Amino acid sequence: MPSFLLKRWLRELFIGLSCTTALFYLFVDFVIVMLSFEQALTLCGLTAVILAVFAIRHYRYRWKHYLYIEQTSGIKIKQALSYARIGKPEEAIRLLHSIAKEGVPAAQQQLGRLYLTTSDEYKDYALALRWLKSCAKLQPAAQDLLGSMFQYGLGKEQNPIKAMRFYRAAAEQGLASAQCHLGFMWMI
């Protein structure tokens, strides 16, 4: 294999292309050097189809795995919320924490809400802020809770500008409570 092809492949791999894309470029370069243009075009077309099938299979597996995690975590979140309702916040926090560490935004939002609103024994504004910020881009309810934390200075200094920013972001996604909070902030 010519060394300039290997250098190009390594450069493209390090500038952010996926390994599959970089390998495909390496293969195309190699084929163009070794074969005529017409033969290379035919072979590269077949290779592109094979790589596309591989990518579809890979992402289908990833999607099924993601759906499985979402379904099982949804059941666990409901179980944790039922623990919180019957007065067992330590069980709810333990269960939600195990799900939130996996990166499930709904669990992160519920864990932040639980740290924010439970009894004084389990209330922790710093942890609530951490978990709510980790899922704020995906959960409008988390943005609304962050707005409340900044509006009333819970865990941080009072900052009405940040509060309005979070309320506006949640209100633009259609969350009615955030729209209400934003309206009250404009009245003040």
Side-chain angles (χ1 to χ4, degrees):
M1 172 185 307
S3 63
F4 71 91
L5 295 178
L6 186 59
K7 287 178 186 175
R8 177 178 174 190
W9 178 71
L10 290 173
R11 185 183 73 239
E12 289 171 348
L13 188 60
F14 287 119
I15 61 170
L17 294 177
S18 70
C19 185
T20 307
T21 307
L23 280 173
F24 178 69
Y25 284 150
L26 176 68
F27 178 76
V28 169
D29 287 346
F30 183 72
V31 166
I32 288 174
V33 168
M34 298 301 169
L35 302 174
S36 70
F37 182 73
E38 291 82 21
Q39 292 171 335
L41 193 58
T42 305
L43 194 56
C44 290
L46 290 174
T47 307
V49 170
I50 291 169
L51 287 174
V53 168
F54 172 74
I56 289 169
R57 282 186 165 181
H58 174 72
Y59 288 115
R60 186 183 311 158
Y61 168 76
R62 298 272 310 222
W63 182 250
K64 283 181 182 178
H65 181 69
Y66 174 76
L67 288 178
Y68 173 75
I69 288 175
E70 283 294 314
Q71 289 170 350
T72 57
S73 63
I75 294 168
K76 289 179 183 177
I77 290 170
K78 288 179 184 175
Q79 184 181 9
L81 294 178
S82 67
Y83 281 139
R85 267 185 245 122
I86 62 172
K88 295 183 178 180
E90 68 277 353
E91 288 292 319
I93 288 172
R94 183 187 56 77
L95 191 56
L96 283 172
H97 195 271
S98 68
I99 304 166
K101 282 193 307 188
E102 295 176 10
V104 178
Q108 293 171 342
Q109 185 260 326
Q110 290 296 337
L111 185 61
R113 186 186 62 77
L114 208 55
Y115 277 129
L116 188 62
T117 60
T118 58
S119 61
D120 290 336
E121 183 180 349
Y122 299 102
K123 193 172 283 192
D124 189 344
Y125 293 133
L127 283 174
L129 189 67
R130 180 180 142 219
W131 285 112
L132 290 172
K133 278 187 173 181
S134 68
C135 68
K137 290 186 178 184
L138 301 172
Q139 295 285 328
Q143 294 169 342
D144 186 40
L145 288 170
L146 281 168
S148 296
M149 288 183 76
F150 282 109
Q151 180 182 0
Y152 298 111
L154 303 175
K156 288 281 188 180
E157 68 280 349
Q158 210 169 359
N159 190 339
I161 294 171
K162 276 190 177 180
M164 286 186 77
R165 236 183 259 144
F166 282 114
Y167 285 148
R168 182 176 295 122
E172 287 173 353
Q173 295 179 44
L175 190 66
S177 62
Q179 293 168 352
C180 185
H181 289 139
L182 187 61
F184 282 129
M185 289 288 290
W186 279 108
M187 288 175 40
I188 295 177

mmCIF file of all heavy atoms in Angstrom, residues 109-157:
data_model
loop_
_atom_site.group_PDB
_atom_site.id
_atom_site.type_symbol
_atom_site.label_atom_id
_atom_site.label_comp_id
_atom_site.label_asym_id
_atom_site.label_seq_id
_atom_site.Cartn_x
_atom_site.Cartn_y
_atom_site.Cartn_z
ATOM 1 N N GLN A 109 -34.138 14.551 35.211
ATOM 2 C CA GLN A 109 -35.083 15.615 35.556
ATOM 3 C C GLN A 109 -35.856 15.263 36.818
ATOM 4 O O GLN A 109 -36.009 16.088 37.717
ATOM 5 C CB GLN A 109 -36.030 15.860 34.375
ATOM 6 C CG GLN A 109 -36.969 17.026 34.564
ATOM 7 C CD GLN A 109 -38.356 16.577 34.989
ATOM 8 O OE1 GLN A 109 -38.839 15.533 34.588
ATOM 9 N NE2 GLN A 109 -38.992 17.375 35.801
ATOM 10 N N GLN A 110 -36.314 14.029 36.938
ATOM 11 C CA GLN A 110 -37.067 13.620 38.123
ATOM 12 C C GLN A 110 -36.185 13.601 39.364
ATOM 13 O O GLN A 110 -36.631 13.962 40.458
ATOM 14 C CB GLN A 110 -37.707 12.240 37.902
ATOM 15 C CG GLN A 110 -38.830 12.233 36.912
ATOM 16 C CD GLN A 110 -40.025 13.067 37.363
ATOM 17 O OE1 GLN A 110 -40.235 13.333 38.541
ATOM 18 N NE2 GLN A 110 -40.818 13.496 36.399
ATOM 19 N N LEU A 111 -34.932 13.205 39.208
ATOM 20 C CA LEU A 111 -34.006 13.204 40.337
ATOM 21 C C LEU A 111 -33.736 14.634 40.806
ATOM 22 O O LEU A 111 -33.733 14.913 42.005
ATOM 23 C CB LEU A 111 -32.708 12.500 39.959
ATOM 24 C CG LEU A 111 -31.673 12.316 41.062
ATOM 25 C CD1 LEU A 111 -32.242 11.475 42.194
ATOM 26 C CD2 LEU A 111 -30.413 11.665 40.502
ATOM 27 N N GLY A 112 -33.533 15.546 39.869
ATOM 28 C CA GLY A 112 -33.348 16.950 40.240
ATOM 29 C C GLY A 112 -34.566 17.516 40.935
ATOM 30 O O GLY A 112 -34.458 18.237 41.931
ATOM 31 N N ARG A 113 -35.759 17.179 40.431
ATOM 32 C CA ARG A 113 -36.999 17.638 41.064
ATOM 33 C C ARG A 113 -37.133 17.071 42.466
ATOM 34 O O ARG A 113 -37.542 17.765 43.405
ATOM 35 C CB ARG A 113 -38.202 17.230 40.219
ATOM 36 C CG ARG A 113 -39.519 17.798 40.732
ATOM 37 C CD ARG A 113 -40.709 17.264 39.963
ATOM 38 N NE ARG A 113 -40.853 15.828 40.084
ATOM 39 C CZ ARG A 113 -41.343 15.187 41.155
ATOM 40 N NH1 ARG A 113 -41.680 15.863 42.219
ATOM 41 N NH2 ARG A 113 -41.444 13.880 41.171
ATOM 42 N N LEU A 114 -36.758 15.810 42.639
ATOM 43 C CA LEU A 114 -36.851 15.170 43.947
ATOM 44 C C LEU A 114 -35.895 15.821 44.947
ATOM 45 O O LEU A 114 -36.276 16.083 46.096
ATOM 46 C CB LEU A 114 -36.533 13.682 43.801
ATOM 47 C CG LEU A 114 -37.160 12.734 44.792
ATOM 48 C CD1 LEU A 114 -38.671 12.883 44.809
ATOM 49 C CD2 LEU A 114 -36.789 11.306 44.461
ATOM 50 N N TYR A 115 -34.660 16.107 44.520
ATOM 51 C CA TYR A 115 -33.715 16.796 45.401
ATOM 52 C C TYR A 115 -34.197 18.204 45.732
ATOM 53 O O TYR A 115 -33.865 18.752 46.780
ATOM 54 C CB TYR A 115 -32.329 16.889 44.766
ATOM 55 C CG TYR A 115 -31.489 15.650 44.934
ATOM 56 C CD1 TYR A 115 -30.885 15.060 43.832
ATOM 57 C CD2 TYR A 115 -31.275 15.077 46.185
ATOM 58 C CE1 TYR A 115 -30.092 13.929 43.972
ATOM 59 C CE2 TYR A 115 -30.490 13.952 46.332
ATOM 60 C CZ TYR A 115 -29.906 13.382 45.229
ATOM 61 O OH TYR A 115 -29.117 12.267 45.365
ATOM 62 N N LEU A 116 -34.977 18.795 44.870
ATOM 63 C CA LEU A 116 -35.457 20.156 45.070
ATOM 64 C C LEU A 116 -36.671 20.212 45.982
ATOM 65 O O LEU A 116 -36.817 21.136 46.771
ATOM 66 C CB LEU A 116 -35.801 20.767 43.706
ATOM 67 C CG LEU A 116 -36.152 22.233 43.626
ATOM 68 C CD1 LEU A 116 -34.974 23.079 44.080
ATOM 69 C CD2 LEU A 116 -36.532 22.592 42.198
ATOM 70 N N THR A 117 -37.540 19.209 45.913
ATOM 71 C CA THR A 117 -38.847 19.319 46.570
ATOM 72 C C THR A 117 -39.091 18.342 47.712
ATOM 73 O O THR A 117 -40.153 18.389 48.316
ATOM 74 C CB THR A 117 -39.967 19.115 45.539
ATOM 75 O OG1 THR A 117 -39.847 17.822 44.960
ATOM 76 C CG2 THR A 117 -39.927 20.182 44.468
ATOM 77 N N THR A 118 -38.154 17.435 48.047
ATOM 78 C CA THR A 118 -38.417 16.482 49.128
ATOM 79 C C THR A 118 -38.261 17.145 50.483
ATOM 80 O O THR A 118 -37.972 18.333 50.598
ATOM 81 C CB THR A 118 -37.462 15.271 49.062
ATOM 82 O OG1 THR A 118 -36.118 15.747 49.140
ATOM 83 C CG2 THR A 118 -37.660 14.471 47.813
ATOM 84 N N SER A 119 -38.425 16.335 51.506
ATOM 85 C CA SER A 119 -38.299 16.847 52.871
ATOM 86 C C SER A 119 -36.880 17.353 53.113
ATOM 87 O O SER A 119 -35.953 17.058 52.359
ATOM 88 C CB SER A 119 -38.650 15.740 53.871
ATOM 89 O OG SER A 119 -37.754 14.661 53.721
ATOM 90 N N ASP A 120 -36.707 18.098 54.188
ATOM 91 C CA ASP A 120 -35.422 18.742 54.464
ATOM 92 C C ASP A 120 -34.271 17.751 54.596
ATOM 93 O O ASP A 120 -33.126 18.079 54.307
ATOM 94 C CB ASP A 120 -35.520 19.572 55.746
ATOM 95 C CG ASP A 120 -36.382 20.806 55.555
ATOM 96 O OD1 ASP A 120 -36.510 21.245 54.395
ATOM 97 O OD2 ASP A 120 -36.931 21.313 56.542
ATOM 98 N N GLU A 121 -34.565 16.532 55.011
ATOM 99 C CA GLU A 121 -33.517 15.538 55.199
ATOM 100 C C GLU A 121 -32.818 15.191 53.879
ATOM 101 O O GLU A 121 -31.621 14.965 53.846
ATOM 102 C CB GLU A 121 -34.139 14.271 55.796
ATOM 103 C CG GLU A 121 -33.156 13.186 56.108
ATOM 104 C CD GLU A 121 -33.834 11.962 56.697
ATOM 105 O OE1 GLU A 121 -35.017 12.024 57.054
ATOM 106 O OE2 GLU A 121 -33.157 10.936 56.777
ATOM 107 N N TYR A 122 -33.564 15.167 52.776
ATOM 108 C CA TYR A 122 -33.010 14.787 51.478
ATOM 109 C C TYR A 122 -32.868 15.960 50.511
ATOM 110 O O TYR A 122 -32.426 15.780 49.392
ATOM 111 C CB TYR A 122 -33.873 13.706 50.828
ATOM 112 C CG TYR A 122 -33.928 12.452 51.657
ATOM 113 C CD1 TYR A 122 -35.035 12.170 52.438
ATOM 114 C CD2 TYR A 122 -32.856 11.577 51.670
ATOM 115 C CE1 TYR A 122 -35.073 11.026 53.212
ATOM 116 C CE2 TYR A 122 -32.886 10.435 52.435
ATOM 117 C CZ TYR A 122 -33.998 10.154 53.211
ATOM 118 O OH TYR A 122 -34.025 9.033 53.972
ATOM 119 N N LYS A 123 -33.242 17.152 50.937
ATOM 120 C CA LYS A 123 -33.162 18.313 50.054
ATOM 121 C C LYS A 123 -31.709 18.714 49.851
ATOM 122 O O LYS A 123 -30.961 18.868 50.799
ATOM 123 C CB LYS A 123 -33.955 19.468 50.662
ATOM 124 C CG LYS A 123 -34.193 20.610 49.714
ATOM 125 C CD LYS A 123 -35.136 21.623 50.325
ATOM 126 C CE LYS A 123 -36.526 21.063 50.234
ATOM 127 N NZ LYS A 123 -37.570 22.009 50.519
ATOM 128 N N ASP A 124 -31.317 18.858 48.596
ATOM 129 C CA ASP A 124 -29.945 19.228 48.264
ATOM 130 C C ASP A 124 -29.985 20.065 46.983
ATOM 131 O O ASP A 124 -30.112 19.528 45.890
ATOM 132 C CB ASP A 124 -29.093 17.972 48.082
ATOM 133 C CG ASP A 124 -27.615 18.288 47.960
ATOM 134 O OD1 ASP A 124 -27.267 19.466 47.713
ATOM 135 O OD2 ASP A 124 -26.807 17.350 48.102
ATOM 136 N N TYR A 125 -29.878 21.376 47.137
ATOM 137 C CA TYR A 125 -29.998 22.276 45.986
ATOM 138 C C TYR A 125 -28.847 22.120 45.000
ATOM 139 O O TYR A 125 -29.043 22.256 43.796
ATOM 140 C CB TYR A 125 -30.099 23.721 46.450
ATOM 141 C CG TYR A 125 -31.372 24.034 47.198
ATOM 142 C CD1 TYR A 125 -31.345 24.736 48.391
ATOM 143 C CD2 TYR A 125 -32.600 23.636 46.709
ATOM 144 C CE1 TYR A 125 -32.497 25.026 49.078
ATOM 145 C CE2 TYR A 125 -33.770 23.924 47.396
ATOM 146 C CZ TYR A 125 -33.713 24.622 48.581
ATOM 147 O OH TYR A 125 -34.873 24.897 49.245
ATOM 148 N N ALA A 126 -27.650 21.832 45.508
ATOM 149 C CA ALA A 126 -26.503 21.678 44.603
ATOM 150 C C ALA A 126 -26.686 20.465 43.683
ATOM 151 O O ALA A 126 -26.437 20.543 42.475
ATOM 152 C CB ALA A 126 -25.217 21.546 45.416
ATOM 153 N N LEU A 127 -27.145 19.346 44.246
ATOM 154 C CA LEU A 127 -27.389 18.163 43.415
ATOM 155 C C LEU A 127 -28.570 18.377 42.479
ATOM 156 O O LEU A 127 -28.562 17.919 41.337
ATOM 157 C CB LEU A 127 -27.637 16.934 44.295
ATOM 158 C CG LEU A 127 -26.392 16.318 44.917
ATOM 159 C CD1 LEU A 127 -26.760 15.200 45.878
ATOM 160 C CD2 LEU A 127 -25.470 15.792 43.834
ATOM 161 N N ALA A 128 -29.589 19.087 42.965
ATOM 162 C CA ALA A 128 -30.735 19.389 42.098
ATOM 163 C C ALA A 128 -30.286 20.210 40.899
ATOM 164 O O ALA A 128 -30.661 19.920 39.760
ATOM 165 C CB ALA A 128 -31.806 20.139 42.888
ATOM 166 N N LEU A 129 -29.464 21.219 41.159
ATOM 167 C CA LEU A 129 -28.949 22.060 40.077
ATOM 168 C C LEU A 129 -28.113 21.244 39.092
ATOM 169 O O LEU A 129 -28.264 21.380 37.876
ATOM 170 C CB LEU A 129 -28.121 23.200 40.671
ATOM 171 C CG LEU A 129 -27.677 24.296 39.727
ATOM 172 C CD1 LEU A 129 -28.881 25.083 39.239
ATOM 173 C CD2 LEU A 129 -26.696 25.217 40.424
ATOM 174 N N ARG A 130 -27.273 20.367 39.610
ATOM 175 C CA ARG A 130 -26.420 19.544 38.748
ATOM 176 C C ARG A 130 -27.247 18.636 37.835
ATOM 177 O O ARG A 130 -27.023 18.577 36.628
ATOM 178 C CB ARG A 130 -25.498 18.695 39.616
ATOM 179 C CG ARG A 130 -24.599 17.815 38.804
ATOM 180 C CD ARG A 130 -23.694 16.972 39.681
ATOM 181 N NE ARG A 130 -23.596 15.666 39.033
ATOM 182 C CZ ARG A 130 -23.578 14.525 39.659
ATOM 183 N NH1 ARG A 130 -23.660 14.487 40.959
ATOM 184 N NH2 ARG A 130 -23.484 13.403 38.997
ATOM 185 N N TRP A 131 -28.223 17.934 38.405
ATOM 186 C CA TRP A 131 -29.015 16.999 37.599
ATOM 187 C C TRP A 131 -29.938 17.733 36.639
ATOM 188 O O TRP A 131 -30.149 17.273 35.506
ATOM 189 C CB TRP A 131 -29.806 16.049 38.496
ATOM 190 C CG TRP A 131 -28.936 15.002 39.117
ATOM 191 C CD1 TRP A 131 -28.607 14.880 40.432
ATOM 192 C CD2 TRP A 131 -28.247 13.943 38.440
ATOM 193 N NE1 TRP A 131 -27.762 13.818 40.618
ATOM 194 C CE2 TRP A 131 -27.526 13.222 39.404
ATOM 195 C CE3 TRP A 131 -28.160 13.541 37.118
ATOM 196 C CZ2 TRP A 131 -26.748 12.115 39.090
ATOM 197 C CZ3 TRP A 131 -27.384 12.436 36.800
ATOM 198 C CH2 TRP A 131 -26.692 11.741 37.778
ATOM 199 N N LEU A 132 -30.498 18.852 37.060
ATOM 200 C CA LEU A 132 -31.391 19.595 36.165
ATOM 201 C C LEU A 132 -30.615 20.221 35.004
ATOM 202 O O LEU A 132 -31.103 20.244 33.872
ATOM 203 C CB LEU A 132 -32.157 20.657 36.938
ATOM 204 C CG LEU A 132 -33.223 20.119 37.901
ATOM 205 C CD1 LEU A 132 -33.781 21.229 38.761
ATOM 206 C CD2 LEU A 132 -34.323 19.401 37.149
ATOM 207 N N LYS A 133 -29.408 20.702 35.263
ATOM 208 C CA LYS A 133 -28.601 21.269 34.172
ATOM 209 C C LYS A 133 -28.174 20.199 33.174
ATOM 210 O O LYS A 133 -28.040 20.472 31.987
ATOM 211 C CB LYS A 133 -27.359 21.977 34.727
ATOM 212 C CG LYS A 133 -27.625 23.372 35.202
ATOM 213 C CD LYS A 133 -26.327 24.052 35.573
ATOM 214 C CE LYS A 133 -26.569 25.508 35.899
ATOM 215 N NZ LYS A 133 -25.324 26.197 36.247
ATOM 216 N N SER A 134 -27.968 18.979 33.665
ATOM 217 C CA SER A 134 -27.502 17.919 32.761
ATOM 218 C C SER A 134 -28.558 17.518 31.739
ATOM 219 O O SER A 134 -28.226 16.988 30.681
ATOM 220 C CB SER A 134 -27.053 16.695 33.564
ATOM 221 O OG SER A 134 -28.153 16.076 34.184
ATOM 222 N N CYS A 135 -29.829 17.779 32.034
ATOM 223 C CA CYS A 135 -30.874 17.381 31.082
ATOM 224 C C CYS A 135 -31.693 18.565 30.583
ATOM 225 O O CYS A 135 -32.722 18.378 29.932
ATOM 226 C CB CYS A 135 -31.792 16.347 31.723
ATOM 227 S SG CYS A 135 -32.784 16.996 33.072
ATOM 228 N N ALA A 136 -31.250 19.776 30.851
ATOM 229 C CA ALA A 136 -32.059 20.958 30.534
ATOM 230 C C ALA A 136 -32.318 21.142 29.052
ATOM 231 O O ALA A 136 -33.367 21.647 28.672
ATOM 232 C CB ALA A 136 -31.394 22.211 31.107
ATOM 233 N N LYS A 137 -31.405 20.717 28.190
ATOM 234 C CA LYS A 137 -31.619 20.916 26.751
ATOM 235 C C LYS A 137 -32.713 20.013 26.206
ATOM 236 O O LYS A 137 -33.315 20.319 25.183
ATOM 237 C CB LYS A 137 -30.318 20.682 25.990
ATOM 238 C CG LYS A 137 -29.306 21.759 26.236
ATOM 239 C CD LYS A 137 -28.094 21.594 25.375
ATOM 240 C CE LYS A 137 -27.146 22.738 25.655
ATOM 241 N NZ LYS A 137 -25.989 22.713 24.794
ATOM 242 N N LEU A 138 -32.959 18.886 26.875
ATOM 243 C CA LEU A 138 -33.926 17.919 26.369
ATOM 244 C C LEU A 138 -35.244 17.909 27.126
ATOM 245 O O LEU A 138 -36.220 17.349 26.644
ATOM 246 C CB LEU A 138 -33.312 16.509 26.420
ATOM 247 C CG LEU A 138 -32.028 16.320 25.623
ATOM 248 C CD1 LEU A 138 -31.435 14.955 25.906
ATOM 249 C CD2 LEU A 138 -32.309 16.483 24.150
ATOM 250 N N GLN A 139 -35.278 18.477 28.314
ATOM 251 C CA GLN A 139 -36.468 18.412 29.159
ATOM 252 C C GLN A 139 -36.963 19.820 29.491
ATOM 253 O O GLN A 139 -36.341 20.531 30.279
ATOM 254 C CB GLN A 139 -36.144 17.673 30.470
ATOM 255 C CG GLN A 139 -35.784 16.225 30.303
ATOM 256 C CD GLN A 139 -36.991 15.375 30.010
ATOM 257 O OE1 GLN A 139 -38.096 15.646 30.458
ATOM 258 N NE2 GLN A 139 -36.794 14.341 29.222
ATOM 259 N N PRO A 140 -38.096 20.249 28.913
ATOM 260 C CA PRO A 140 -38.605 21.579 29.246
ATOM 261 C C PRO A 140 -38.991 21.716 30.716
ATOM 262 O O PRO A 140 -38.867 22.794 31.288
ATOM 263 C CB PRO A 140 -39.815 21.755 28.327
ATOM 264 C CG PRO A 140 -40.035 20.472 27.650
ATOM 265 C CD PRO A 140 -38.872 19.599 27.876
ATOM 266 N N ALA A 141 -39.416 20.633 31.360
ATOM 267 C CA ALA A 141 -39.751 20.698 32.782
ATOM 268 C C ALA A 141 -38.510 21.006 33.613
ATOM 269 O O ALA A 141 -38.588 21.727 34.622
ATOM 270 C CB ALA A 141 -40.394 19.392 33.240
ATOM 271 N N ALA A 142 -37.356 20.490 33.203
ATOM 272 C CA ALA A 142 -36.098 20.794 33.894
ATOM 273 C C ALA A 142 -35.743 22.268 33.722
ATOM 274 O O ALA A 142 -35.263 22.924 34.655
ATOM 275 C CB ALA A 142 -34.978 19.904 33.370
ATOM 276 N N GLN A 143 -35.982 22.814 32.528
ATOM 277 C CA GLN A 143 -35.728 24.239 32.304
ATOM 278 C C GLN A 143 -36.628 25.090 33.196
ATOM 279 O O GLN A 143 -36.193 26.099 33.745
ATOM 280 C CB GLN A 143 -35.956 24.578 30.833
ATOM 281 C CG GLN A 143 -34.968 23.933 29.906
ATOM 282 C CD GLN A 143 -35.353 24.063 28.443
ATOM 283 O OE1 GLN A 143 -36.500 24.334 28.105
ATOM 284 N NE2 GLN A 143 -34.388 23.864 27.558
ATOM 285 N N ASP A 144 -37.870 24.669 33.351
ATOM 286 C CA ASP A 144 -38.811 25.397 34.210
ATOM 287 C C ASP A 144 -38.348 25.362 35.672
ATOM 288 O O ASP A 144 -38.365 26.380 36.361
ATOM 289 C CB ASP A 144 -40.207 24.790 34.065
ATOM 290 C CG ASP A 144 -41.264 25.584 34.806
ATOM 291 O OD1 ASP A 144 -41.202 26.828 34.782
ATOM 292 O OD2 ASP A 144 -42.151 24.954 35.410
ATOM 293 N N LEU A 145 -37.905 24.187 36.132
ATOM 294 C CA LEU A 145 -37.412 24.081 37.503
ATOM 295 C C LEU A 145 -36.143 24.899 37.709
ATOM 296 O O LEU A 145 -35.963 25.526 38.760
ATOM 297 C CB LEU A 145 -37.165 22.615 37.863
ATOM 298 C CG LEU A 145 -38.414 21.760 38.057
ATOM 299 C CD1 LEU A 145 -38.046 20.288 38.155
ATOM 300 C CD2 LEU A 145 -39.176 22.198 39.289
ATOM 301 N N LEU A 146 -35.256 24.909 36.715
ATOM 302 C CA LEU A 146 -34.051 25.746 36.808
ATOM 303 C C LEU A 146 -34.422 27.222 36.867
ATOM 304 O O LEU A 146 -33.807 28.000 37.608
ATOM 305 C CB LEU A 146 -33.123 25.478 35.625
ATOM 306 C CG LEU A 146 -32.279 24.220 35.708
ATOM 307 C CD1 LEU A 146 -31.636 23.919 34.365
ATOM 308 C CD2 LEU A 146 -31.228 24.354 36.785
ATOM 309 N N GLY A 147 -35.436 27.610 36.097
ATOM 310 C CA GLY A 147 -35.907 28.988 36.160
ATOM 311 C C GLY A 147 -36.390 29.347 37.555
ATOM 312 O O GLY A 147 -36.087 30.428 38.075
ATOM 313 N N SER A 148 -37.122 28.431 38.182
ATOM 314 C CA SER A 148 -37.596 28.669 39.550
ATOM 315 C C SER A 148 -36.433 28.767 40.526
ATOM 316 O O SER A 148 -36.451 29.595 41.448
ATOM 317 C CB SER A 148 -38.533 27.545 39.989
ATOM 318 O OG SER A 148 -39.680 27.522 39.193
ATOM 319 N N MET A 149 -35.430 27.919 40.349
ATOM 320 C CA MET A 149 -34.277 27.968 41.248
ATOM 321 C C MET A 149 -33.555 29.311 41.145
ATOM 322 O O MET A 149 -33.163 29.889 42.158
ATOM 323 C CB MET A 149 -33.303 26.828 40.939
ATOM 324 C CG MET A 149 -33.804 25.460 41.362
ATOM 325 S SD MET A 149 -32.602 24.156 41.068
ATOM 326 C CE MET A 149 -31.462 24.452 42.423
ATOM 327 N N PHE A 150 -33.400 29.820 39.922
ATOM 328 C CA PHE A 150 -32.726 31.102 39.759
ATOM 329 C C PHE A 150 -33.631 32.272 40.152
ATOM 330 O O PHE A 150 -33.147 33.287 40.636
ATOM 331 C CB PHE A 150 -32.226 31.268 38.321
ATOM 332 C CG PHE A 150 -30.970 30.509 38.054
ATOM 333 C CD1 PHE A 150 -30.978 29.391 37.248
ATOM 334 C CD2 PHE A 150 -29.769 30.896 38.621
ATOM 335 C CE1 PHE A 150 -29.811 28.680 37.003
ATOM 336 C CE2 PHE A 150 -28.594 30.192 38.385
ATOM 337 C CZ PHE A 150 -28.628 29.074 37.576
ATOM 338 N N GLN A 151 -34.938 32.132 39.974
ATOM 339 C CA GLN A 151 -35.846 33.214 40.344
ATOM 340 C C GLN A 151 -35.860 33.424 41.854
ATOM 341 O O GLN A 151 -35.850 34.556 42.335
ATOM 342 C CB GLN A 151 -37.261 32.907 39.858
ATOM 343 C CG GLN A 151 -38.253 33.998 40.212
ATOM 344 C CD GLN A 151 -39.677 33.667 39.758
ATOM 345 O OE1 GLN A 151 -39.924 32.616 39.167
ATOM 346 N NE2 GLN A 151 -40.593 34.570 40.030
ATOM 347 N N TYR A 152 -35.885 32.326 42.607
ATOM 348 C CA TYR A 152 -35.983 32.431 44.061
ATOM 349 C C TYR A 152 -34.644 32.272 44.770
ATOM 350 O O TYR A 152 -34.583 32.323 45.999
ATOM 351 C CB TYR A 152 -36.985 31.396 44.591
ATOM 352 C CG TYR A 152 -38.365 31.624 44.049
ATOM 353 C CD1 TYR A 152 -38.926 30.734 43.151
ATOM 354 C CD2 TYR A 152 -39.096 32.753 44.408
ATOM 355 C CE1 TYR A 152 -40.193 30.946 42.635
ATOM 356 C CE2 TYR A 152 -40.350 32.979 43.891
ATOM 357 C CZ TYR A 152 -40.890 32.074 43.004
ATOM 358 O OH TYR A 152 -42.144 32.304 42.498
ATOM 359 N N GLY A 153 -33.562 32.048 44.039
ATOM 360 C CA GLY A 153 -32.241 31.936 44.644
ATOM 361 C C GLY A 153 -32.045 30.653 45.429
ATOM 362 O O GLY A 153 -31.431 30.669 46.485
ATOM 363 N N LEU A 154 -32.541 29.543 44.925
ATOM 364 C CA LEU A 154 -32.396 28.255 45.609
ATOM 365 C C LEU A 154 -31.077 27.607 45.178
ATOM 366 O O LEU A 154 -30.920 27.188 44.047
ATOM 367 C CB LEU A 154 -33.560 27.326 45.264
ATOM 368 C CG LEU A 154 -34.950 27.852 45.581
ATOM 369 C CD1 LEU A 154 -36.004 26.889 45.078
ATOM 370 C CD2 LEU A 154 -35.099 28.072 47.071
ATOM 371 N N GLY A 155 -30.128 27.539 46.092
ATOM 372 C CA GLY A 155 -28.844 26.924 45.787
ATOM 373 C C GLY A 155 -27.868 27.852 45.093
ATOM 374 O O GLY A 155 -26.682 27.587 45.048
ATOM 375 N N LYS A 156 -28.326 28.900 44.521
ATOM 376 C CA LYS A 156 -27.499 29.906 43.850
ATOM 377 C C LYS A 156 -28.046 31.281 44.233
ATOM 378 O O LYS A 156 -29.110 31.397 44.827
ATOM 379 C CB LYS A 156 -27.583 29.757 42.322
ATOM 380 C CG LYS A 156 -26.872 28.569 41.769
ATOM 381 C CD LYS A 156 -25.404 28.870 41.702
ATOM 382 C CE LYS A 156 -24.672 27.772 40.967
ATOM 383 N NZ LYS A 156 -23.287 27.998 40.869
ATOM 384 N N GLU A 157 -27.303 32.321 43.855
ATOM 385 C CA GLU A 157 -27.817 33.668 44.094
ATOM 386 C C GLU A 157 -29.001 33.922 43.156
ATOM 387 O O GLU A 157 -29.114 33.325 42.094
ATOM 388 C CB GLU A 157 -26.722 34.720 43.895
ATOM 389 C CG GLU A 157 -26.237 34.887 42.467
ATOM 390 C CD GLU A 157 -25.233 33.844 42.020
ATOM 391 O OE1 GLU A 157 -24.727 33.076 42.847
ATOM 392 O OE2 GLU A 157 -24.986 33.789 40.812
#
